[in-house]
mmCIF file of all heavy atoms in Angstrom:
data_model
loop_
_atom_site.group_PDB
_atom_site.id
_atom_site.type_symbol
_atom_site.label_atom_id
_atom_site.label_comp_id
_atom_site.label_asym_id
_atom_site.label_seq_id
_atom_site.Cartn_x
_atom_site.Cartn_y
_atom_site.Cartn_z
ATOM 1 N N LYS T 12 150.477 92.781 100.002
ATOM 2 C CA LYS T 12 150.178 93.119 101.397
ATOM 3 C C LYS T 12 150.515 94.562 101.731
ATOM 4 O O LYS T 12 149.795 95.231 102.475
ATOM 5 C CB LYS T 12 150.937 92.187 102.338
ATOM 6 C CG LYS T 12 150.610 90.707 102.185
ATOM 7 C CD LYS T 12 149.174 90.413 102.587
ATOM 8 C CE LYS T 12 148.879 88.914 102.526
ATOM 9 N NZ LYS T 12 147.481 88.624 102.888
ATOM 10 N N THR T 13 151.657 95.058 101.194
ATOM 11 C CA THR T 13 152.156 96.390 101.595
ATOM 12 C C THR T 13 151.838 97.486 100.594
ATOM 13 O O THR T 13 151.857 98.670 100.933
ATOM 14 C CB THR T 13 153.672 96.339 101.779
ATOM 15 O OG1 THR T 13 154.297 96.072 100.505
ATOM 16 C CG2 THR T 13 154.070 95.275 102.781
ATOM 17 N N GLY T 14 151.592 97.089 99.325
ATOM 18 C CA GLY T 14 151.377 98.085 98.286
ATOM 19 C C GLY T 14 152.654 98.652 97.722
ATOM 20 O O GLY T 14 152.621 99.531 96.850
ATOM 21 N N ILE T 15 153.809 98.175 98.178
ATOM 22 C CA ILE T 15 155.112 98.658 97.708
ATOM 23 C C ILE T 15 155.706 97.620 96.769
ATOM 24 O O ILE T 15 155.892 96.457 97.144
ATOM 25 C CB ILE T 15 156.068 98.914 98.889
ATOM 26 C CG1 ILE T 15 155.452 99.937 99.841
ATOM 27 C CG2 ILE T 15 157.437 99.373 98.388
ATOM 28 C CD1 ILE T 15 156.237 100.109 101.126
ATOM 29 N N ALA T 16 155.979 98.005 95.510
ATOM 30 C CA ALA T 16 156.496 97.080 94.511
ATOM 31 C C ALA T 16 157.768 97.635 93.886
ATOM 32 O O ALA T 16 157.896 98.856 93.691
ATOM 33 C CB ALA T 16 155.449 96.827 93.433
ATOM 34 N N PRO T 17 158.710 96.747 93.526
ATOM 35 C CA PRO T 17 159.975 97.214 92.939
ATOM 36 C C PRO T 17 159.838 97.632 91.484
ATOM 37 O O PRO T 17 160.702 98.340 90.962
ATOM 38 C CB PRO T 17 160.887 95.994 93.089
ATOM 39 C CG PRO T 17 159.963 94.821 93.068
ATOM 40 C CD PRO T 17 158.725 95.304 93.771
ATOM 41 N N ASP T 18 158.766 97.210 90.801
ATOM 42 C CA ASP T 18 158.609 97.576 89.397
ATOM 43 C C ASP T 18 157.119 97.556 89.034
ATOM 44 O O ASP T 18 156.262 97.082 89.795
ATOM 45 C CB ASP T 18 159.412 96.646 88.488
ATOM 46 C CG ASP T 18 159.005 95.191 88.671
ATOM 47 O OD1 ASP T 18 157.878 94.842 88.264
ATOM 48 O OD2 ASP T 18 159.814 94.431 89.247
ATOM 49 N N PHE T 19 156.826 98.049 87.835
ATOM 50 C CA PHE T 19 155.449 98.220 87.362
ATOM 51 C C PHE T 19 154.701 96.887 87.267
ATOM 52 O O PHE T 19 153.568 96.748 87.717
ATOM 53 C CB PHE T 19 155.468 98.916 85.994
ATOM 54 C CG PHE T 19 154.116 99.043 85.354
ATOM 55 C CD1 PHE T 19 153.181 99.954 85.825
ATOM 56 C CD2 PHE T 19 153.764 98.233 84.275
ATOM 57 C CE1 PHE T 19 151.933 100.069 85.229
ATOM 58 C CE2 PHE T 19 152.518 98.342 83.686
ATOM 59 C CZ PHE T 19 151.605 99.275 84.171
ATOM 60 N N TYR T 20 155.317 95.872 86.677
ATOM 61 C CA TYR T 20 154.644 94.600 86.459
ATOM 62 C C TYR T 20 154.396 93.846 87.769
ATOM 63 O O TYR T 20 153.368 93.172 87.933
ATOM 64 C CB TYR T 20 155.455 93.746 85.486
ATOM 65 C CG TYR T 20 155.459 94.309 84.097
ATOM 66 C CD1 TYR T 20 156.581 94.964 83.606
ATOM 67 C CD2 TYR T 20 154.327 94.216 83.281
ATOM 68 C CE1 TYR T 20 156.582 95.517 82.331
ATOM 69 C CE2 TYR T 20 154.329 94.765 82.008
ATOM 70 C CZ TYR T 20 155.448 95.415 81.534
ATOM 71 O OH TYR T 20 155.431 95.966 80.288
ATOM 72 N N THR T 21 155.328 93.965 88.698
ATOM 73 C CA THR T 21 155.107 93.362 90.015
ATOM 74 C C THR T 21 153.907 94.012 90.700
ATOM 75 O O THR T 21 153.084 93.336 91.329
ATOM 76 C CB THR T 21 156.358 93.516 90.892
ATOM 77 O OG1 THR T 21 157.448 92.851 90.253
ATOM 78 C CG2 THR T 21 156.135 92.902 92.272
ATOM 79 N N ARG T 22 153.789 95.321 90.553
ATOM 80 C CA ARG T 22 152.660 96.036 91.163
ATOM 81 C C ARG T 22 151.340 95.592 90.545
ATOM 82 O O ARG T 22 150.342 95.361 91.250
ATOM 83 C CB ARG T 22 152.830 97.539 90.988
ATOM 84 C CG ARG T 22 151.672 98.346 91.613
ATOM 85 C CD ARG T 22 151.973 99.833 91.603
ATOM 86 N NE ARG T 22 152.097 100.355 90.266
ATOM 87 C CZ ARG T 22 151.061 100.696 89.482
ATOM 88 N NH1 ARG T 22 149.819 100.527 89.929
ATOM 89 N NH2 ARG T 22 151.263 101.173 88.282
ATOM 90 N N LEU T 23 151.284 95.467 89.213
ATOM 91 C CA LEU T 23 150.058 95.034 88.559
ATOM 92 C C LEU T 23 149.614 93.656 89.039
ATOM 93 O O LEU T 23 148.440 93.429 89.364
ATOM 94 C CB LEU T 23 150.246 95.008 87.041
ATOM 95 C CG LEU T 23 150.220 96.338 86.301
ATOM 96 C CD1 LEU T 23 150.397 96.109 84.809
ATOM 97 C CD2 LEU T 23 148.922 97.088 86.555
ATOM 98 N N LEU T 24 150.569 92.713 89.083
ATOM 99 C CA LEU T 24 150.223 91.372 89.515
ATOM 100 C C LEU T 24 149.825 91.335 90.987
ATOM 101 O O LEU T 24 148.895 90.620 91.375
ATOM 102 C CB LEU T 24 151.402 90.429 89.266
ATOM 103 C CG LEU T 24 151.133 88.934 89.500
ATOM 104 C CD1 LEU T 24 149.935 88.461 88.669
ATOM 105 C CD2 LEU T 24 152.361 88.100 89.199
ATOM 106 N N SER T 25 150.493 92.123 91.807
ATOM 107 C CA SER T 25 150.159 92.157 93.234
ATOM 108 C C SER T 25 148.767 92.743 93.459
ATOM 109 O O SER T 25 148.020 92.293 94.326
ATOM 110 C CB SER T 25 151.202 92.975 94.000
ATOM 111 O OG SER T 25 151.135 94.351 93.653
ATOM 112 N N GLU T 26 148.386 93.767 92.656
ATOM 113 C CA GLU T 26 147.046 94.350 92.773
ATOM 114 C C GLU T 26 145.985 93.345 92.351
ATOM 115 O O GLU T 26 144.907 93.268 92.937
ATOM 116 C CB GLU T 26 146.959 95.625 91.937
ATOM 117 C CG GLU T 26 147.743 96.798 92.521
ATOM 118 C CD GLU T 26 147.681 98.016 91.627
ATOM 119 O OE1 GLU T 26 147.175 97.905 90.482
ATOM 120 O OE2 GLU T 26 148.151 99.094 92.071
ATOM 121 N N LYS T 27 146.295 92.573 91.309
ATOM 122 C CA LYS T 27 145.369 91.547 90.874
ATOM 123 C C LYS T 27 145.183 90.495 91.964
ATOM 124 O O LYS T 27 144.054 90.066 92.263
ATOM 125 C CB LYS T 27 145.902 90.893 89.599
ATOM 126 C CG LYS T 27 145.033 89.777 89.043
ATOM 127 C CD LYS T 27 143.729 90.317 88.485
ATOM 128 C CE LYS T 27 142.938 89.217 87.802
ATOM 129 N NZ LYS T 27 141.623 89.696 87.322
ATOM 130 N N LEU T 28 146.304 90.097 92.573
ATOM 131 C CA LEU T 28 146.238 89.113 93.641
ATOM 132 C C LEU T 28 145.471 89.644 94.836
ATOM 133 O O LEU T 28 144.646 88.944 95.438
ATOM 134 C CB LEU T 28 147.658 88.716 94.057
ATOM 135 C CG LEU T 28 147.781 87.641 95.138
ATOM 136 C CD1 LEU T 28 147.218 86.323 94.633
ATOM 137 C CD2 LEU T 28 149.233 87.481 95.562
ATOM 138 N N ALA T 29 145.690 90.893 95.185
ATOM 139 C CA ALA T 29 145.017 91.487 96.345
ATOM 140 C C ALA T 29 143.525 91.632 96.120
ATOM 141 O O ALA T 29 142.728 91.546 97.052
ATOM 142 C CB ALA T 29 145.632 92.844 96.673
ATOM 143 N N SER T 30 143.128 91.843 94.849
ATOM 144 C CA SER T 30 141.702 92.074 94.558
ATOM 145 C C SER T 30 140.881 90.800 94.635
ATOM 146 O O SER T 30 139.660 90.847 94.734
ATOM 147 C CB SER T 30 141.542 92.705 93.169
ATOM 148 O OG SER T 30 141.916 91.777 92.167
ATOM 149 N N VAL T 31 141.558 89.629 94.567
ATOM 150 C CA VAL T 31 140.818 88.376 94.629
ATOM 151 C C VAL T 31 140.163 88.205 95.988
ATOM 152 O O VAL T 31 138.996 87.868 96.111
ATOM 153 C CB VAL T 31 141.759 87.189 94.313
ATOM 154 C CG1 VAL T 31 141.028 85.871 94.554
ATOM 155 C CG2 VAL T 31 142.265 87.290 92.888
ATOM 156 N N GLY T 32 140.872 88.475 97.047
ATOM 157 C CA GLY T 32 140.334 88.446 98.392
ATOM 158 C C GLY T 32 139.809 87.083 98.787
ATOM 159 O O GLY T 32 140.067 86.070 98.138
#
Side-chain angles (χ1 to χ4, degrees):
K12 300 294 184 181
T13 65
I15 302 172
D18 58 70
F19 175 73
Y20 292 104
T21 300
R22 180 172 63 81
L23 283 181
L24 188 55
S25 68
E26 288 177 351
K27 179 69 174 176
L28 182 64
S30 68
V31 173

